[in-house]
C-alpha cells in the first residue's frame, strides 16, 4: 500500500497555504463555515485556492450537505457533512458511524467538532475507521505525534488535520505541518 494523501485543513493565511504546499501536502482545505474558528468566506477561500499550484488539490469545506460552490468553480473538491445531491468530486464527512454511500465515494471520518478524546477514544475511532470499505480520509485529533500510528492502524486513503498543526486557532506552524506530512507519508515505509 502506498502512503496516504495528506490534507492540511482550516487554512486562513497565505503563509500557511504556502507552508502546506512546500511541506508536501497533497490537499489543502478551506473551511467555509461562519461559526468555525477557522471559518472564512467562500470569496476568501477562492483567493487562497488561487495560490495553490498543481498537483496540490484544493478542498472547500462545508458543515452541511450543501455548498455554495461546485467542484471546478475554483476548488478541486468539496467536502460536506451528510449526503450531498451530487457525488462528483465530493468527500462526504461523518462524525461517528458513516452512512452507506455509493462505491468509491471518499468518506472523511471525524470526531465531534472541538473534541479532546482520550487515547482509548481515539484508538476506538481508528478501529472503526479501519473497518470501513470505502476510501477513508481519517480526521479527528491527528497531529505529528500520532499520525504515523493512525496510518499504520487504519491504512487510510488520506489523513486530515487542522488543529494538529496550529499554534492558535487558524494559525499554522510550518514546522508542525512539515512533521505531520513527513510522518504520515513515512508511516508505511
Amino acid at each position: 500500500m502506498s502512503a496516504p494523501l495528506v490534507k492540511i485543513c482550516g487554512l486562513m493565511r497565505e503563509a500557511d497555504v504556502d507552508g502546506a504546499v512546500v511541506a508536501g501536502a497533497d490537499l489543502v482545505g478551506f473551511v467555509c463555515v461562519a461559526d468555525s474558528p477557522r471559518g472564512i468566506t467562500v470569496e476568501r477561500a477562492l483567493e487562497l485556492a488561487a495560490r495553490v499550484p498543481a498537483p496540490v488539490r484544493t478542498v472547500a469545506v462545508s458543515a452541511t450537505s450543501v455548498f455554495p460552490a461546485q467542484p471546478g468553480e475554483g476548488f478541486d473538491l468539496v467536502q460536506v457533512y451528510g449526503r450531498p445531491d451530487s457525488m462528483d468530486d465530493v468527500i462526504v464527512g461523518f462524525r461517528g458511524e458513516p452512512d452507506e454511500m455509493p462505491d468509491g465515494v471518499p468518506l472523511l471520518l471525524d470526531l465531534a467538532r472541538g473534541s479532546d478524546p482520550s487515547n482509548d477514544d481515539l484508538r476506538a475511532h481508528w478501529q472503526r475507521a479501519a473497518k470501513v470499505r470505502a476510501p477513508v480520509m481519517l480526521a479527528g485529533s491527528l497531529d505529528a505525534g500520532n499520525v504515523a500510528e493512525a496510518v499504520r492502524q487504519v491504512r487510510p486513503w488520506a489523513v486530515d488535520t487542522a488543529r494538529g498543526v496550529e499554534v492558535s486557532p487558524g494559525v499554522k506552524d510550518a514546522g508542525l505541518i512539515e512533521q505531520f506530512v513527513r510522518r504520515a507519508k513515512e508511516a508505511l515505509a
Side-chain angles (χ1 to χ4, degrees):
M1 174 171 193
S2 60
L5 299 179
V6 176
K7 177 173 160 239
I8 304 298
C9 200
L11 297 168
M12 302 173 70
R13 305 177 323 145
E14 288 84 355
D16 296 336
V17 172
D18 297 345
V21 169
V22 167
D26 303 289
L27 304 135
V28 291
F30 308 101
V31 178
C32 301
V33 178
D35 67 343
S36 169
R38 293 160 197 86
I40 57 176
T41 65
V42 172
E43 293 76 22
R44 177 67 175 142
L46 287 166
E47 289 173 8
L48 293 171
R51 299 180 66 79
V52 179
V56 179
R57 299 181 78 192
T58 58
V59 183
V61 178
S62 171
T64 68
S65 63
V66 178
F67 196 79
Q70 298 301 314
E73 294 178 359
F75 305 105
D76 297 308
L77 301 163
V78 173
Q79 178 184 312
V80 297
Y81 282 81
R83 185 178 287 273
D85 291 336
S86 170
M87 298 290 177
D88 295 331
D89 298 316
V90 172
I91 300 166
V92 181
F94 292 95
R95 298 184 194 284
E97 294 295 324
D99 293 340
E100 282 295 318
M101 287 290 173
D103 287 345
V105 173
L107 303 181
L108 177 128
L109 301 182
D110 205 349
L111 295 169
R113 186 171 159 188
S115 67
D116 188 17
S118 69
N119 284 335
D120 289 342
D121 291 340
L122 195 55
R123 280 165 183 70
H125 172 60
W126 297 348
Q127 289 171 353
R128 282 190 303 275
K131 294 176 185 173
V132 174
R133 298 176 76 154
V136 168
M137 179 180 285
L138 185 65
S141 297
L142 293 177
D143 59 32
N146 65 17
V147 70
E149 181 183 352
V151 166
R152 286 189 292 271
Q153 285 191 25
V154 178
R155 299 192 180 265
W157 160 69
V159 291
D160 181 354
T161 192
R163 283 189 302 167
V165 294
E166 289 181 337
V167 293
S168 63
V171 178
K172 308 301 188 215
D173 178 284
L176 291 176
I177 292 172
E178 186 279 327
Q179 287 177 26
F180 184 88
V181 171
R182 182 174 39 80
R183 290 176 181 170
K185 291 183 178 272
E186 293 175 353
L188 298 177

